Amino acid sequence: MSTAKLILDDGQEYELPVVVGSEGEKAIDITKLRAETGYVSLDSGYGNTASCQSSITFIDGENGILRHRGYSIEDLAKSSRFLEVCYLLIYGRLPNTAELVEFEYNLSCHSLIHEDMKKFFEGYHPDAHPMAILSAMTVSLSSYYPEVEKDSDLNIIQLLAKMKTIAAFSYRKSKGLPYVYPSEGLRYTEDFLHMMFYVPTECFDLPDVFEHALNLLLILHADHEQNCSTSTVRMVGSSRANLFASVATGICALWGPLHGGANQQVIEMLERIRDDDCNFKKYIDKAKDKNDPFRVMGFGHRVYKNFDPRAKILKGMTDKVLDQLGIDDPLLEIAKNLEEIALNDEYFVKRKLYPNVDFYSGIIYRAIGIPTNMFPVMFTLGRLPGWIAQWKELVNDPAGRLNRPRQIYTGENERAYSPIAER
Ligand code: SDX
């Protein structure tokens, strides 16, 4: 076992174990740091801290590599289907045909939600953000579907099956449309699009490219190691809260504009630039101005310091989808111009800021007809198998402990209490 030597300010020396991952990543194991030295480590934003050891997803941010259980995102995007990737993430290997058929059948058997849960939707304002509904409905599943033993996958199947129904129902409610129930015999993505867009009075015949594009979008969002929302799911799961409660908190974390909520912000940013005479220079200058809160949404990443492989795939797919649909979306040209300008601007180049997964995804969702405020919901549908796989890995880890970080206190030192009359 290799070690790292720590020499403290009092001259004391400590040997700390070095952990090496299967891709050669190295970590100094500080599990015993406080017990042995009295010191803790400080790493705000956890940019230098591994919260766990995991065998699910590998990212090499310097080289734009993303793999799930060893399979590259490029291969999965080109040849796989979303449910195959769900199976891969959750069970650790690609399914054979019989396993995939059974998995898909089990999901279709559990895609209904309890009829009483429809009453929840009635209580929401029509303009309620669907992420608020999704997180509340997800935790509420635990009051209808009891927690099962760890070795049973029933809750996993229930959650994976019902999330798309809840998402589609929240859309239908916001439009004042009748709910469309899940249909047995439709593939996962087909069934979701049917529940979203079927109108009884019209012939339902969506272009094939819709299902292909949605399948790819969900694959590209399926997991991404210890990002903010996945770390939240692990944090809550470490208290041994049930799967529904743990994932509901991940939805809340994903909603943030710095994370999964960015895909909605990107479209709103592109529309703002469009409505401001496409004044790119103004917005690039705003993004560089430390006193201006404006940021180029969909740009930058904590891990990718070269390019986000998902953004590369999405950029290529955006052109294809819009061409096949004969859509000329001005926002796509604005996005491409913005990317071109930013990638040649020293501010962005120096900070290694490139388009991330959120930069182009919204343009494809728009082309499919999904409303902007539903974009984080689509991210949720994609990320769900990743959250489930990470939660399952955590709860099945015999060495798994309650997550409880320490802190460095910077407040007042001890002082005497003074009665209010004396203040
Ligand atoms: C996702 O972690 C994951 O894996 C997430 C994700 C996943 O699949 O789960 O990939 C999904 O969340 C992608 C990110 C979506 N968010 C956005 O697109 C929001 C816009 N991006 C930024 O807010 C930012 O880039 C973050 C939040 C993504 C990353 O922020 P960091 O790592 O904390 O970096 P930072 O804020 O410290 O930025 C470093 C510098 C700063 O400038 P200086 O202080 O050094 O002068 O870069 C600047 C920042 O001001 N900067 C930007 C910028 N992003 C960073 N400047 C302008 N526009 C931006 N978008």
Side-chain angles (χ1 to χ4, degrees):
M1 151 95 66
S2 65
T3 60
K5 183 175 285 185
L6 178 66
I7 303 171
L8 295 178
D9 47 3
D10 61 5
Q12 292 266 16
E13 291 192 9
Y14 297 88
E15 294 278 326
L16 296 170
V18 169
V19 172
V20 184
S22 54
E23 288 288 341
E25 295 167 301
K26 292 186 176 181
I28 300 168
D29 182 344
I30 58 170
T31 309
K32 295 193 170 55
L33 180 68
R34 192 170 188 282
E36 290 180 5
T37 71
Y39 283 58
V40 294
S41 66
L42 178 62
D43 182 19
S44 65
Y46 302 120
N48 306 285
T49 297
S51 61
C52 62
Q53 297 188 64
S54 176
S55 60
I56 299 168
T57 290
F58 171 68
I59 301 176
D60 175 340
E62 280 65 35
N63 297 300
I65 291 172
L66 169 58
R67 297 191 203 119
H68 295 313
R69 305 283 191 184
Y71 296 96
S72 77
I73 193 64
E74 291 82 4
D75 282 353
L76 293 172
K78 193 165 71 217
S79 317
S80 189
R81 294 196 56 75
F82 178 57
L83 282 197
E84 257 193 299
V85 175
C86 292
Y87 192 101
L88 171 67
L89 289 169
I90 295 168
Y91 299 109
R93 60 180 176 77
L94 286 168
N96 59 35
T97 306
E99 288 163 331
L100 187 59
V101 167
E102 185 192 5
F103 186 57
E104 197 143 26
Y105 174 73
N106 286 340
L107 290 175
S108 68
C109 294
H110 288 274
S111 51
L112 283 172
I113 58 174
H114 193 290
E115 276 294 291
D116 287 352
M117 292 191 82
K118 284 180 5 184
K119 295 187 188 103
F120 286 60
F121 290 99
E122 306 319 316
Y124 282 100
H125 187 281
D127 292 339
H129 197 289
M131 287 294 268
I133 299 172
L134 207 61
S135 53
M137 293 295 278
T138 299
V139 69
S140 302
L141 287 171
S142 53
S143 46
Y144 287 85
Y145 305 97
E147 188 175 7
V148 296
E149 287 309 310
K150 266 190 321 191
D151 53 2
S152 157
D153 284 345
L154 179 58
N155 289 154
I156 288 176
I157 295 295
Q158 288 167 333
L159 182 56
L160 209 45
K162 299 177 193 306
M163 188 67 85
K164 71 173 177 6
T165 306
I166 294 169
F169 278 20
S170 67
Y171 169 73
R172 301 289 288 196
K173 167 74 173 62
S174 73
K175 296 291 178 194
L177 291 169
Y179 299 127
V180 174
Y181 281 67
S183 308
E184 206 191 322
L186 289 184
R187 286 196 297 245
Y188 184 93
T189 40
E190 244 178 332
D191 193 24
F192 174 71
L193 291 169
H194 184 257
M195 288 195 281
M196 284 281 286
F197 299 124
Y198 173 72
V199 178
T201 54
E202 293 165 19
C203 152
F204 183 76
D205 180 19
L206 294 182
D208 291 346
V209 68
F210 276 25
E211 207 233 326
H212 172 73
L214 180 59
N215 184 61
L216 185 56
L217 281 158
L218 295 177
I219 288 174
L220 292 174
H221 286 82
D223 190 50
H224 215 237
E225 54 144 89
Q226 306 311 317
N227 57 81
C228 177
S229 53
T230 300
S231 299
T232 303
V233 170
R234 278 184 172 260
M235 175 65 81
V236 174
S238 77
S239 73
R240 297 303 180 260
N242 65 65
L243 174 63
F244 302 129
S246 303
V247 166
T249 61
I251 294 171
C252 296
L254 188 72
W255 190 4
L258 292 186
H259 188 18
N263 55 16
Q264 175 178 349
Q265 302 281 325
V266 167
I267 294 300
E268 289 167 2
M269 170 189 73
L270 295 175
E271 287 170 337
R272 184 176 165 194
I273 294 173
R274 177 199 61 197
D275 299 343
D276 196 354
D277 292 333
C278 293
N279 187 341
F280 296 107
K281 184 176 179 326
K282 171 181 170 185
Y283 289 92
I284 290 286
D285 291 344
K286 283 170 66 70
K288 296 175 355 184
D289 177 356
K290 286 294 151 229
N291 301 315
D292 190 322
F294 178 82
R295 289 286 175 272
V296 176
M297 300 312 277
F299 249 72
H301 200 276
R302 175 64 58 79
V303 176
Y304 289 121
K305 296 306 171 191
N306 189 326
F307 60 90
D308 182 335
R310 303 167 296 174
K312 238 177 157 179
I313 296 167
L314 281 170
K315 182 175 181 182
M317 190 178 81
T318 310
D319 284 324
K320 260 191 240 141
V321 169
L322 268 59
D323 285 350
Q324 285 187 35
L325 294 171
I327 295 176
D328 177 16
D329 186 343
L331 296 192
L332 177 57
E333 279 322 299
I334 294 172
K336 287 183 175 177
N337 284 332
L338 201 57
E339 178 185 1
E340 182 66 28
I341 295 168
L343 294 187
N344 291 289
D345 182 296
E346 195 267 339
Y347 171 93
F348 291 85
V349 173
K350 185 177 147 215
R351 291 166 179 79
K352 300 183 178 179
L353 303 175
Y354 298 89
N356 58 50
V357 69
D358 294 309
F359 193 63
Y360 286 103
S361 55
I363 295 175
I364 303 172
Y365 290 135
R366 266 162 65 93
I368 295 176
I370 290 167
T372 307
N373 69 355
M374 281 277 293
F375 291 2
V377 170
M378 302 311 295
F379 198 140
T380 301
L381 288 182
R383 185 51 51 89
L384 184 58
W387 286 335
I388 290 171
Q390 300 272 353
W391 179 87
K392 183 178 162 90
E393 184 176 68
L394 168 100
V395 298
N396 288 311
D397 176 1
R401 304 173 68 203
L402 174 73
N403 289 356
R404 203 280 187 207
R406 305 304 293 259
Q407 63 161 28
I408 293 294
Y409 175 70
T410 56
E412 296 287 344
N413 299 116
E414 186 172 13
R415 50 184 171 166
Y417 178 82
S418 59
I420 192 163
E422 294 168 16
R423 282 179 225 149

